[in-house]
C-alpha cells in the first residue's frame, strides 16, 4: 500500500500555516494594540514580550511557502496571480514591521516614526492575510490549470471582511499573550481591552460562518448535507464554550487561560476552514491530488522536511522555554 503523499503534504503545510497563524499572530496582534498604549514604558514592555521570539515565529511561514512550492507547484500559478496585490502588500507590511523591531530600539528622534511603521506594518500584513484567506474561501476561477479570473477578483466585501476578522483574531491573541506575560497595571489594562475584543471576535466568526453558508452552496452542502451536521456540530459548540471560558477566566483573573482558549478558537476556526474546502487546495475546482507535483519530487522534499521540521520545532520550543516568565518595565530590553 503506497503512502498518499498529497495528503501527507497537505497535513505538513496545514500544520506549518496553523503554527504560523498562532505564533506570528500574537506578535502581529501586539502591533495592532500599540495605538491604545501611548506610554513609552508600556510599549517597551509589549515589545519585549515578543522581541526574543518574533523572527523565529516567521520560520513557519517560510516552511509553509516552500512546502507548497515543492509539493503543489500549480498552486503558485493559480493562487498567486489571483492575489498578487494583497500578497505584495503583505510582504511590504512584514518588512516594515521587521525593520521597526530592529531600528526603533536604536532610534531617538525618529522612534515615533518607527512606532508608526510597526503599527502600520502589523495592520497591513494582518489585513492582507485575511483578504487572501477570504479570496481562497470564496473560490478562484481556474481553466486548464491556470488562473482565468480578473486581477481584482480578490477584492470583494467578503474578502475585506475576512481581513478585518483576521486583524481582530490577531489582536485578541496579542491581548491574551500580554495578559500571560505581564502583571500589575499593564495586565489589568489588557484584561479590560480583551473583553470587547472577544465579543467582536465572536461576532466576526458568526458573520463569516453565516456568510459562507448562505453565499457558497458548496460550503452549505459540506456542513449540512449527507448527514454531516452531527459530525461537524462540535466545532461551533466549542467556539461558544471557549468564548464563555475566556470571559470566565478574565473574571477569575486567570493569567494563561484567556490566551490558551483564544488559541483553541483559532484551532476551531482553522478546522472549520478545512471542513469547508477539503479536499480542494484552491476551491472550487483544484484538489490536492490535481495540484500535486510528481511523486519523486514529493519524496525528495519529504526527506528534507523530515530532517528540518523536528529541528525547527525543537528550536522554537527551546526559545519559548528560555524566555518564559513575566516581562516588566525596566527589564533588559531588545538591543
Amino acid at each position: 500500500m503506497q503512502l498518499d503523499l498529497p495528503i501527507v503534504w497537505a497535513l505538513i503545510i496545514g500544520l506549518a500555516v496553523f503554527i504560523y497563524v498562532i505564533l506570528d499572530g500574537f506578535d502581529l496582534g501586539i502591533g495592532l494594540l500599540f495605538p491604545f498604549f501611548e506610554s513609552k514604558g508600556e510599549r517597551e514592555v509589549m515589545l519585549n514580550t515578543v522581541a526574543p521570539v518574533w523572527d523565529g515565529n516567521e520560520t513557519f511561514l517560510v516552511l509553509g511557502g516552500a512546502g507548497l512550492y515543492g509539493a503543489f507547484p500549480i498552486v503558485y500559478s493559480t493562487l498567486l496571480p489571483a492575489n498578487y496585490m494583497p500578497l505584495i502588500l503583505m510582504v511590504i507590511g512584514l518588512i516594515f514591521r521587521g525593520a521597526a523591531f530592529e531600528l526603533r530600539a536604536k532610534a531617538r528622534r525618529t522612534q515615533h516614526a518607527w512606532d508608526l511603521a510597526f503599527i502600520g506594518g502589523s495592520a497591513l500584513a494582518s489585513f492582507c492575510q485575511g483578504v487572501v484567506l477570504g479570496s481562497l474561501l470564496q473560490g478562484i476561477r481556474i481553466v486548464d490549470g491556470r488562473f482565468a479570473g480578473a486581477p481584482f477578483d480578490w477584492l470583494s466585501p467578503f474578502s475585506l471582511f475576512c481581513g478585518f476578522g483576521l486583524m481582530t483574531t490577531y489582536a485578541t491573541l496579542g491581548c491574551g499573550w500580554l495578559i500571560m506575560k505581564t502583571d500589575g497595571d499593564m495586565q489589568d489594562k489588557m484584561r479590560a481591552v480583551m473583553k470587547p475584543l472577544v465579543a467582536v471576535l465572536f461576532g466576526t466568526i458568526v458573520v463569516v460562518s453565516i456568510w459562507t453558508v448562505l453565499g457558497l452552496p458548496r460550503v452549505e452542502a459540506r456542513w449540512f448535507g449527507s448527514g454531516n451536521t452531527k459530525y461537524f456540530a462540535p466545532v461551533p459548540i466549542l467556539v461558544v464554550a471557549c468564548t464563555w471560558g475566556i470571559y470566565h477566566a478574565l473574571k477569575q483573573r486567570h493569567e494563561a487561560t484567556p490566551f490558551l482558549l483564544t488559541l483553541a478558537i483559532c484551532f476551531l476556526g482553522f478546522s472549520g476552514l478545512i471542513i469547508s474546502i477539503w479536499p480542494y487546495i484552491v476551491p472550487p475546482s483544484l484538489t490536492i491530488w490535481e495540484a500535486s507535483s510528481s511523486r519523486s519530487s514529493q519524496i525528495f522534499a519529504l526527506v528534507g522536511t523530515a530532517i528540518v521540521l523536528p529541528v525547527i520545532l525543537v528550536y522554537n520550543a527551546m526559545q519559548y522555554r528560555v524566555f518564559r516568565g513575566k516581562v516588566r518595565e525596566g527589564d533588559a530590553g531588545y538591543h
Side-chain angles (χ1 to χ4, degrees), residues 9-226:
W9 271 107
L11 291 173
I12 292 172
I13 293 169
L15 176 65
V17 170
F18 176 67
I19 293 176
Y20 169 76
V21 166
I22 62 174
L23 294 186
D24 208 37
F26 67 74
D27 63 56
L28 284 167
I30 288 174
L32 297 173
L33 294 170
F34 238 49
F36 301 99
F37 299 88
E38 297 184 359
S39 163
K40 181 178 178 180
E42 289 176 336
R43 289 186 170 186
E44 290 293 338
V45 170
M46 294 168 73
L47 281 177
N48 286 343
T49 64
V50 294
V53 298
W54 74 270
D55 45 357
N57 294 343
E58 294 188 341
T59 306
F60 293 97
L61 179 63
V62 177
L63 175 64
L68 192 66
Y69 181 77
F72 305 106
I74 195 173
V75 174
Y76 274 76
S77 64
T78 54
L79 182 62
L80 267 67
N83 291 278
Y84 272 141
M85 182 64 73
L87 287 172
I88 290 171
L89 291 175
M90 179 195 77
V91 172
I92 291 173
L94 292 175
I95 290 171
F96 270 91
R97 192 274 300 258
F101 251 118
E102 300 293 340
L103 297 176
R104 73 175 301 281
K106 304 296 183 182
R108 293 295 180 265
R109 290 177 297 179
T110 60
Q111 190 174 76
H112 180 67
W114 287 115
D115 282 348
L116 291 177
F118 180 62
I119 295 167
S122 300
L124 184 62
S126 304
F127 180 74
C128 289
Q129 288 175 15
V131 168
V132 173
L133 174 63
S135 170
L136 179 67
L137 189 56
Q138 72 186 7
I140 295 172
R141 188 182 173 201
I142 299 172
V143 177
D144 296 328
R146 296 178 179 273
F147 172 60
F152 290 94
D153 279 357
W154 57 270
L155 186 60
S156 69
F158 178 73
S159 64
L160 295 178
F161 189 81
C162 287
F164 166 77
L166 197 62
M167 290 177 69
T168 304
T169 303
Y170 285 171
T172 309
L173 276 171
C175 204
W177 170 260
L178 289 168
I179 289 172
M180 186 172 64
K181 294 289 289 184
T182 62
D183 55 15
D185 290 341
M186 185 74 174
Q187 190 181 68
D188 291 338
K189 290 180 180 179
M190 288 301 166
R191 285 196 177 97
V193 171
M194 192 163 189
K195 290 179 180 178
L197 268 179
V198 172
V200 174
L201 175 60
F202 181 75
T204 302
I205 293 171
V206 171
V207 171
V208 170
S209 300
I210 295 174
W211 201 331
T212 52
V213 168
L214 295 180
L216 302 171
R218 67 181 186 277
V219 176
E220 180 186 10
R222 172 57 60 87
W223 281 88
F224 299 106
S226 304

Side-chain angles (χ1 to χ4, degrees), residues 239-322:
V239 168
V240 174
C242 288
T243 303
W244 176 86
I246 291 173
Y247 279 109
H248 179 73
L250 291 172
K251 183 178 180 180
Q252 298 297 318
R253 303 186 64 82
H254 294 171
E255 297 192 337
T257 306
F259 179 65
L260 296 176
L261 288 176
T262 307
L263 292 181
I265 290 176
C266 291
F267 175 76
L268 293 167
F270 193 75
S271 300
L273 172 65
I274 300 302
I275 291 170
S276 298
I277 69 173
W278 181 264
Y280 298 98
I281 192 168
V282 182
S285 57
L286 192 63
T287 68
I288 60 172
W289 296 280
E290 293 168 334
S292 293
S293 59
S294 66
R295 184 172 179 83
S296 59
S297 296
Q298 290 190 341
I299 291 174
F300 178 80
L302 188 60
V303 172
T305 303
I307 297 170
V308 172
L309 183 56
V311 175
I312 295 173
L313 292 172
V314 170
Y315 162 76
N316 276 270
M318 288 180 63
Q319 70 174 354
Y320 279 94
R321 177 173 174 78
V322 169

